[in-house]
Amino acid sequence: MKFALRLSPAYTRAPWLAGALLASAAGACAAQGARISAVTLYPGSATVERVQSLAAGSTQAVFDCLPAGLDARSLQVAADTAATVVGDIRVRESERALASGCASAQQARLDALDEQLAAVGAEIDALQLAQTYLHTVANGGIAPAPAPAGAAPKTGATAAPIAATSTTLQRTALDQLVQLHRAQQRQQALQLQRKALEQPGAPGGDRVSTVTVTLAAPQATQLRLSYQVRGPSWSPSYRALLDSDSGRLQLQRLALVAQNTGEDWQDVQLTLSTGQPLRATQGPLPRPWTLDERPEPPPEAVAKRAMVAAAPAPMAMAMRETAADDAPPGVQQDMGALATTFRISQRVSVPVGGERLTLTLASEPLQAQLLVRTTPMLDASAYLVAQLPQLEGVWPAGPVALYRDGAYAGQGRLDPGNAALWRQGLSFGRDERVQVSTAPERSFSAATGLTDSGVERTIERSWRVDNHHARAVQLQVLDAAPVSRNAKIRVQSQYEPAPADTAWNERAGTIAWTQELAAGASAQFSARHQLRYARDLMLQEQR
């Protein structure tokens, strides 16, 4: 870090004293540095705050090795003491390789992994060399030492030395093979770590920014610099734990945090926010809607339009379709009018490189309304559904892990912003103690009218639901009824018993029966639909 200090005339008359003071101040400031103190993380961006200690009389502060992707328009500088006056702020971007002391944390970890890989590679080479030597000895490749002069020649080898040599070779070879296998495993693990850490094209990876602040600090102070940077993000995730006997539901809020800004967030005060600073701050305004007489097109345009109409349509156009609270320890939750923030009490470290950190933010105890839902014509099964009460605060959409009575039931999606969630609820898997049986659909047609000019078609459906629980359940049976979109097609439907809703989930023709089914009881449901239309009408039916 670079600092400039004002020196009084007395110091200027003593150059050695001024130099000593400058060296002392520079050394102290360099030791303190400009550390990251706090981060407010949004989906897709973050506000990073750095703190630098300034000595009395400082006129300049330099924040170097910052991410190149920071938003210069978002820079804010503030001092802890009111006497400090902040002047102009300058931002300079340069190559990381040319900036002194700005090696990225990611590159430092890559270099450390390369050193470990080199050491493991040398160990593997040494063990393989030792194995080659043992093979040479075992195959007689090394000649025995010559006998001393005058010694009597050996007439034969005893069995004891041969057995001892064989055992020694065996043990040594086995020990070295085990060491070689373990070294190769360490090498593979290090290579996987390096591959996971390597992220080419990371934002701001090859360049860094330097922010220089001109100021006047008559006394020692802390200078805070904050800036916005794109890329880091947190995504919501949820865990729902349901007690099917009492209907109590524990809804846990989780956060998956990751960042690849080029700098480590080491021991920082982390705050997560559901705000969206990257989104537009103003919605669209209505465009003018005017009516006027269409002018007659010129003859050339009429001829060109006729040629285009006569040309065959491209296949892509022909196939186009139109589609119709209780916060856990260590987290302070603040439900604002526009966003919900979670302040992590403990300091958190988020390394660069895309490694995801999972944090538990809050746990909401809820009382859910349980029901058993079935759609017999599509699936003759019953599913346990928990209908949730309205949730306070902002809940971004995200995946939810579903647990029923302590057992994992599967994955779902929680989207409180979608009104359908409050009608459909969260499904916690099949209820095997509720049995659904479906009779085959019956359909027959007959001619109507004096001249047999009309057609009357009748469709009959029926189902049976049995409750094998030792307690009553709230049952919901869903079915689709035909809906006419043409005045020439008339539909008349009859149900037994009468359904509770004929437009469930705000969909016309979606029939819902809702009733309590006692323990060991069964219920019958049936629907009869009559369709009347002219014989010459080509009926288009979609199910």
Side-chain angles (χ1 to χ4, degrees):
M1 301 300 166
K2 303 176 183 177
F3 300 91
L5 303 178
R6 287 188 184 140
L7 302 177
S8 68
Y11 293 147
T12 60
R13 288 192 294 268
W16 63 270
L17 180 58
L21 287 173
L22 284 171
S24 176
C29 294
Q32 292 172 346
R35 60 182 178 84
I36 298 178
S37 60
V39 175
T40 301
L41 188 58
Y42 306 93
S45 66
T47 299
V48 180
E49 180 186 88
R50 283 180 173 269
V51 176
Q52 186 174 128
S53 298
L54 298 181
S58 298
T59 60
Q60 190 182 75
V62 179
F63 295 83
D64 49 13
C65 305
L66 305 184
L70 66 85
D71 185 0
R73 296 169 296 183
S74 67
L75 287 173
Q76 293 186 11
V77 179
D80 288 352
T81 56
T84 302
V85 179
V86 177
D88 62 278
I89 305 173
R90 301 180 183 180
V91 181
R92 185 181 75 253
E93 189 174 317
S94 60
E95 295 288 340
R96 184 182 292 274
L98 301 179
S100 176
C102 288
S104 67
Q106 184 174 358
Q107 187 59 48
R109 281 197 288 272
L110 286 172
D111 294 341
L113 285 174
D114 287 340
E115 290 185 5
Q116 295 180 50
L117 282 169
V120 172
E123 182 182 354
I124 291 175
D125 291 342
L127 290 170
Q128 289 176 340
L129 180 61
Q131 283 293 311
T132 303
Y133 173 79
L134 289 177
H135 278 293
T136 304
V137 173
N139 294 328
I142 298 179
K154 296 181 179 181
T155 58
T158 62
I162 295 177
T165 302
S166 175
T167 302
T168 302
L169 283 174
Q170 181 180 359
R171 290 177 178 175
T172 304
L174 180 60
D175 185 43
Q176 290 185 351
L177 285 173
V178 170
Q179 293 182 43
L180 180 61
H181 177 68
R182 291 175 179 172
Q184 289 172 339
Q185 284 185 324
R186 293 200 305 273
Q187 184 184 51
Q188 292 176 359
L190 290 172
Q191 288 172 344
L192 289 176
Q193 291 181 30
R194 197 187 194 287
K195 186 176 181 180
L197 190 60
E198 257 184 328
Q199 300 229 353
D206 298 330
R207 301 183 67 82
V208 293
S209 294
T210 300
V211 176
T212 304
V213 182
T214 303
L215 49 86
Q219 60 189 42
T221 185
Q222 295 274 339
L223 190 66
R224 301 179 184 275
L225 171 73
S226 66
Y227 52 88
Q228 278 271 338
V229 60
R230 293 174 180 249
S233 183
W234 75 277
S235 57
S237 181
Y238 304 98
R239 186 183 294 122
L241 301 95
L242 176 67
D243 182 353
S244 61
D245 290 330
S246 62
R248 288 193 297 268
L249 179 69
Q250 200 75 18
L251 189 57
Q252 298 178 354
R253 303 181 70 152
L254 309 176
L256 301 179
V257 177
Q259 63 98 2
N260 200 14
T261 61
E263 58 182 355
D264 282 337
W265 296 347
Q266 190 68 31
D267 197 28
V268 301
Q269 179 65 65
L270 183 63
T271 300
L272 306 181
S273 174
T274 61
Q276 298 279 356
L278 296 183
R279 288 188 176 179
T281 58
Q282 176 178 325
L285 301 177
R287 295 188 296 269
W289 184 359
T290 61
L291 300 175
D292 199 353
E293 182 181 0
R294 180 182 297 177
E296 291 291 335
E300 300 83 10
V302 176
K304 184 177 181 180
R305 189 181 303 169
M307 293 176 61
V308 172
M315 182 61 67
M317 295 296 293
M319 298 181 64
R320 184 176 57 188
E321 297 181 358
T322 303
D325 201 13
D326 290 329
V331 178
Q332 180 180 348
Q333 180 176 344
D334 182 16
M335 293 186 182
L338 301 178
T340 301
T341 59
F342 302 91
R343 187 174 184 269
I344 314 300
S345 299
Q346 299 88 356
R347 292 192 169 269
V348 178
S349 296
V350 184
V352 70
E355 178 182 342
R356 296 201 302 179
L357 177 68
T358 302
L359 301 174
T360 301
L361 302 181
S363 183
E364 299 283 343
L366 304 173
Q367 184 63 42
Q369 181 180 356
L370 301 183
L371 57 87
V372 178
R373 177 181 295 154
T374 179
T375 308
M377 294 306 299
L378 300 180
D379 183 2
S381 302
Y383 294 86
L384 180 63
V385 176
Q387 291 185 309
L388 309 180
Q390 289 288 336
L391 302 176
E392 296 182 0
V394 180
W395 295 70
V400 54
L402 304 168
Y403 291 83
R404 184 177 70 187
D405 300 328
Y408 178 65
Q411 284 280 340
R413 183 167 179 81
L414 183 70
D415 187 2
N418 187 352
L421 172 67
W422 314 114
R423 295 186 294 269
Q424 297 179 12
L426 286 177
S427 182
F428 283 81
R430 294 189 180 187
D431 189 335
E432 304 294 347
R433 293 183 177 272
V434 176
Q435 184 178 357
V436 182
S437 54
T438 305
E441 180 180 285
R442 297 177 57 196
S443 178
F444 48 90
S445 302
T448 62
L450 298 177
T451 59
D452 295 340
S453 59
V455 176
E456 181 179 279
R457 180 180 167 193
T458 303
I459 303 170
E460 294 181 350
R461 296 174 172 178
S462 61
W463 316 276
R464 173 176 170 163
V465 181
D466 296 282
N467 178 18
H468 297 289
H469 282 283
R471 54 179 173 80
V473 298
Q474 189 72 11
L475 178 65
Q476 185 179 72
V477 180
L478 301 179
D479 189 35
V483 177
S484 174
R485 295 186 176 179
N486 193 312
K488 299 178 181 179
I489 305 173
R490 291 177 295 172
V491 178
Q492 183 178 2
S493 300
Q494 297 177 343
Y495 306 100
E496 183 62 36
D501 195 352
T502 58
W504 181 80
N505 204 16
E506 297 184 355
R507 290 185 177 182
T510 302
I511 311 302
W513 289 272
T514 304
Q515 67 179 60
E516 184 177 283
L517 189 60
S522 61
Q524 297 275 354
F525 303 90
S526 63
R528 188 172 189 268
H529 309 290
Q530 288 183 332
L531 286 62
R532 295 186 178 91
Y533 51 92
R535 181 176 293 276
D536 57 352
L537 186 143
M538 298 294 293
L539 183 65
Q540 182 181 7
E541 185 176 358
Q542 294 182 350
R543 294 197 189 185

